[in-house]
Amino acid sequence: MKPISVTLLLVSLVLSSSFLQITIAGSSFCDSKCAVRCSKASVQDRCLKYCGVCCEECKCVPSGTYGHKDECPCYRDKKNSKGKPKCP
């Protein structure tokens, strides 16, 4: 019984580490795009937070530091609870 439980533990560790690496690799796209998008923002932490949320949902970020939202309609059309643009 002991070898089986050790084997299962090792297999679960390998699978969980693989999943973690995939998740981290997927977010590096958004991290790099949002870093460029928010490079000139006055409140960088807030810009990076909302840009990251929008990027994860839309799978794209407009080029440049401002404007160009027509490149990514999903990003452009997201609104906050007050009806204003959610994505920076």
Side-chain angles (χ1 to χ4, degrees), residues 6-25:
V6 170
T7 303
L8 287 175
L9 178 65
L10 289 174
V11 169
S12 66
L13 286 173
V14 168
L15 290 176
S16 65
S17 69
S18 297
F19 177 74
L20 181 63
Q21 287 176 353
I22 291 169
T23 304
I24 290 170

Side-chain angles (χ1 to χ4, degrees), residues 33-55 60-69 72 75-76 78 84-88:
K33 293 288 187 178
C34 288
V36 171
R37 184 79 179 166
C38 297
S39 64
K40 294 184 179 178
S42 59
V43 185
Q44 286 227 333
D45 57 338
R46 190 173 4 168
C47 181
L48 289 169
K49 174 185 174 185
Y50 289 113
C51 180
V53 168
C54 294
C55 178
C60 63
V61 174
S63 62
T65 57
Y66 185 79
H68 305 286
K69 288 188 176 182
C72 185
Y75 192 97
R76 175 194 65 210
K78 289 216 165 290
K84 295 189 177 192
K86 180 177 186 173
C87 306

